Amino acid sequence: MPPLDSPPQIDDMLSAAPLDNPPSARIAGAGPGDGGPSNAASEVLRAARSALTAPDSTTLRFPTDNPPPPRAAKLRNWLTPRLALPAGPLANRTPGTGALMYHRFADPVSGLPEPTWNVPPALLRTQLAGLLSRGYRAVRLEEVLDRIAAGEPADPKSFVVTIDDGYLNNLTQGLPIFEELRVPVTLFVATGYVGTPCPYPFDDWAGKGHPHAPRESWAAMNRGELRRFAESEFVSLGVHTHTHQDFRGRPDLFAADLAESCRVLRSGFGIERPAFAFPYGTRQRGFSGGELKAAVARTPVSCALTTEDERIRADSDRFDLGRFTATSADTAATLAAKLDGRFGALKRALHRNHRSTPTASTAAAKPCGGRS
């Protein structure tokens, strides 16, 4: 294991194989010939190298149609799970296991905007401890997948915790809480940014990289830190693509990028068939499902998770599994409303009502932002 204070060299991360013929080039259907080199694979690795050496580069494509949600949308997303709390008859009509999605665990910094996609560490502990005290059982994602494979009904009192991206605070702030409460987690890593000294180029927090913002609040883990995180008995690693781009309309590039991410975990951690989470993840806006879902089948992943507010059921498609965003506005009670089906049932009812109103936006009931 390399020292924790010596981040990996970019060439070490991206050139385990020659750039023009990486292992990820051999993807069925991704290139000319039978298993020959893929232009898409070479393109994505060149783009990743460019992004890591010049983080302000415009080589990579990130969503431009993902503006911060308006105040009304923030209020609606705060209010909906609270309205669902008394809706007992809506709970558990269809047994399923809920998966929670987290990103960042950082305390607010005076004088800077609130960190985005963030749950402060003390609140994270309160949320998870509150769910456990309500009789919920935290389980590994692998256990849920095994139930699906066996055709067994989901346990409605179990839940899964997932984290996207790979922020340093997942190790320094999150892991002690997960270990204390004995809550297993799956971290979906954007592998192309492991060890980069710059903020994630897709991070929409205006305070990232600011001199007053603690480094752990925005920085990615380096290889040693990620290995320390993965060595915990409560941690599983999955993939979140290599470069976390907007891959809409580019399924071959997506498959090559995802295969490279799988290669990084295989070579660095011995993981052969990792779980996967779509970047940005919403089906309605094309970040999951459709041609991207079909492209996933050309890679070694075991399953694919979206950002759709849906529980995982016995009949769920392994490459179209839902998750619920856990936010700083959530309490253990509102998370329980998401996990047991009340939130989803109410949200669908509100969505149907909005669709029946000519002036209403069809996206009215979508979660804020859709970032994953």
Side-chain angles (χ1 to χ4, degrees):
M1 181 191 308
L4 295 184
D5 58 355
S6 59
Q9 296 300 309
I10 292 166
D11 284 348
D12 291 341
M13 290 188 288
L14 295 179
S15 61
L19 186 62
D20 291 333
N21 189 24
S24 59
R26 303 187 180 278
I27 306 170
D34 183 13
S38 163
N39 291 333
S42 297
E43 179 187 343
V44 75
L45 290 180
R46 287 191 183 93
R49 183 185 297 271
S50 174
L52 290 171
T53 55
D56 292 330
S57 168
T58 57
T59 304
L60 303 184
R61 183 191 302 175
F62 301 105
T64 58
D65 57 346
N66 197 39
R71 184 171 299 179
K74 291 182 178 180
L75 176 61
R76 182 172 57 250
N77 282 277
W78 178 89
L79 187 60
T80 302
R82 285 160 174 79
L83 291 174
L85 290 177
L90 298 176
N92 295 320
R93 284 186 171 178
T94 304
T97 296
L100 299 177
M101 177 179 66
Y102 290 92
H103 292 81
R104 187 191 333 249
F105 310 124
D107 289 314
V109 179
S110 178
L112 293 181
E114 289 281 327
T116 55
W117 304 97
N118 180 57
V119 173
L123 178 57
L124 171 69
R125 190 190 185 286
T126 299
Q127 290 177 348
L128 296 178
L131 287 173
L132 297 174
S133 71
R134 284 167 167 77
Y136 281 89
R137 181 173 67 95
V139 299
R140 294 183 181 276
L141 177 60
E142 294 88 343
E143 178 179 328
V144 177
L145 296 176
D146 288 344
R147 280 181 171 269
I148 292 176
E152 298 177 0
D155 176 4
K157 293 296 284 187
S158 65
F159 71 101
V160 172
V161 173
T162 68
I163 314 170
D164 288 358
D165 303 333
Y167 287 99
L168 176 57
N169 52 68
N170 299 167
L171 169 69
T172 58
Q173 300 294 334
L175 185 59
I177 295 170
F178 300 134
E179 291 185 330
E180 174 196 352
L181 299 178
R182 304 186 65 80
V183 171
V185 299
T186 297
L187 171 64
F188 295 107
V189 187
T191 51
Y193 304 99
V194 174
T196 179
C198 302
Y200 289 113
F202 51 84
D203 189 345
D204 58 1
W205 180 35
K208 64 181 185 290
H210 191 280
H212 294 161
R215 182 175 175 275
E216 68 171 19
S217 67
W218 53 264
M221 284 186 261
N222 65 35
R223 276 187 302 183
E225 291 158 346
L226 184 59
R227 187 170 297 280
R228 261 181 62 192
F229 190 74
E231 285 173 348
S232 171
E233 64 177 301
F234 297 100
V235 170
S236 300
L237 294 185
V239 289
H240 199 35
T241 71
H242 196 59
T243 56
H244 201 291
Q245 293 189 66
D246 178 353
F247 289 106
R248 290 176 295 181
R250 304 187 294 169
D252 288 343
L253 185 62
F254 166 71
D257 187 289
L258 178 52
E260 174 62 13
S261 190
C262 291
R263 186 195 67 78
V264 171
L265 282 200
R266 183 174 62 251
S267 63
F269 297 88
I271 301 171
E272 294 292 336
R273 296 195 68 220
F276 162 64
F278 288 97
Y280 310 105
T282 53
R283 196 182 302 124
Q284 179 179 335
R285 296 175 57 206
F287 291 113
S288 63
E291 62 183 4
L292 295 185
K293 175 184 165 185
V296 170
R298 311 205 308 253
T299 70
V301 304
S302 61
C303 66
L305 284 79
T306 69
T307 60
E308 296 294 326
D309 293 323
E310 299 168 351
R311 291 182 297 166
I312 303 172
R313 304 186 306 271
D315 60 349
S316 292
D317 185 331
R318 290 173 68 96
F319 297 109
D320 193 26
L321 304 177
R323 292 187 292 173
F324 297 95
T325 303
T327 75
S328 59
D330 275 311
T331 65
T334 62
L335 289 180
K338 293 179 178 182
L339 295 173
D340 69 16
R342 287 173 288 168
F343 171 76
L346 178 59
K347 187 176 163 189
R348 286 189 295 274
L350 292 174
H351 186 57
R352 284 193 297 270
N353 181 60
H354 278 290
R355 290 185 65 182
S356 67
T357 305
T359 57
S361 167
T362 56
K366 295 303 291 181
C368 288
R371 162 64 199 283
S372 164

